[in-house]
Amino acid sequence: MSVSAHEVKELRDRSGVGMMDCKKALVEANGDIDKAFDILRKSGIAKAKKKSGRDAKEGIVFSYIHPGSKLGVLLEINCETDFVANTDDFKDLAKEVSMHIAATNPLSIQREDVDDNVIQKEKDIFSEQAKKSGKPENIIEKMVEGRLNKFYQESVLLEQNFVKDPSKTIKELVAEKVGVLGENIIISNFSRYQIGEK
């Protein structure tokens, strides 16, 4: 089912959650805004939004070595207290995210961190492809924007679909843990190492 931009905006204003998350919740709720808000609340995304401004200066550096010892990930993931950093739930999240990074090799944590040169190169490629379609300029712009968003979903950690459960993004996975643990959680840094790669 399709939902209107007005409905998405109304839910976004009410929940403080991103547009795509609101749209997904509305589709799942067949356009019922109250039901969609409940879906967001249950998944912890609305709670996570409220906690996102709080300092997260504790946490762990988690190391994951893939079987065969040819691929590894170091992940810095932060929370508000040492107590939460030492819980199994928090460590499980660190492990899940590290395994996901090992599998998908993201470029960055969030889209703002992607190098401008990389974005420009992608825009140029998408623009060339779109121009060959012979569509008007305003349509080409929308096509490029759509393809760039898809590029972010494939390349940016927080926007990627979680490999173990593609129905949610990494951002949503983290938000669910925020709902469970009651603290702000931030993925601060990661390095992925693979034999033969520089």
Side-chain angles (χ1 to χ4, degrees):
M1 90 162 275
S2 64
V3 294
S4 73
H6 175 74
E7 289 170 313
V8 173
K9 185 182 182 313
E10 189 176 331
L11 182 59
R12 184 171 199 265
D13 291 345
R14 188 168 154 188
S15 67
V17 172
M19 299 288 247
M20 291 308 292
D21 296 325
C22 288
K23 189 175 179 184
K24 269 163 86 174
L26 279 163
V27 169
E28 193 178 327
N30 291 321
D32 184 320
I33 288 180
D34 290 331
K35 210 183 260 183
F37 185 71
D38 286 342
I39 289 167
L40 291 175
R41 278 186 44 224
K42 280 176 192 156
S43 70
I45 295 169
K47 283 184 190 174
K49 188 71 180 169
K50 286 180 187 165
K51 295 181 191 315
S52 67
R54 297 185 352 197
D55 278 349
K57 293 183 177 168
E58 293 296 332
I60 58 174
V61 173
F62 187 87
S63 64
Y64 167 73
I65 305 296
H66 192 68
S69 301
K70 298 203 183 295
L71 174 63
V73 172
L74 275 179
L75 172 74
E76 179 187 351
I77 185 164
N78 302 106
C79 56
E80 296 173 46
T81 64
D82 203 31
F83 173 78
V84 164
N86 287 306
T87 62
D88 288 342
D89 272 339
F90 189 75
K91 289 174 184 170
D92 285 346
L93 175 64
K95 184 178 182 186
E96 297 285 13
V97 172
S98 296
M99 289 171 75
H100 174 90
I101 291 168
T104 62
N105 196 13
L107 289 177
S108 67
I109 295 170
Q110 53 194 9
R111 61 171 66 189
E112 294 79 13
D113 301 333
V114 179
D115 187 292
D116 289 341
N117 293 331
V118 171
I119 294 169
Q120 193 53 55
K121 185 179 168 193
E122 292 299 322
K123 275 185 179 174
D124 292 346
I125 292 167
F126 297 150
S127 186
E128 276 305 307
Q129 290 170 342
K131 281 176 185 164
K132 287 178 183 167
S133 69
K135 302 247 189 317
E137 194 60 41
N138 64 328
I139 301 293
I140 288 172
E141 279 176 33
K142 284 185 178 154
M143 286 170 72
V144 169
E145 192 179 314
R147 288 188 183 165
L148 199 56
N149 279 328
K150 187 165 172 37
F151 167 77
Y152 286 132
Q153 287 164 8
E154 290 170 355
S155 309
V156 173
L157 177 62
L158 291 175
E159 297 186 36
Q160 288 179 328
N161 290 334
F162 180 37
V163 287
K164 282 192 172 177
D165 180 1
S167 71
K168 65 179 97 169
T169 63
I170 293 296
K171 185 177 183 178
E172 290 165 342
L173 177 71
V174 171
E176 284 175 8
K177 282 293 183 206
V178 169
V180 170
L181 294 169
E183 288 193 5
N184 188 19
I185 297 172
I186 297 169
I187 297 170
S188 300
N189 209 342
F190 72 85
S191 291
R192 181 183 181 274
Y193 303 92
Q194 185 163 1
I195 295 291
E197 278 188 8
K198 292 196 174 172

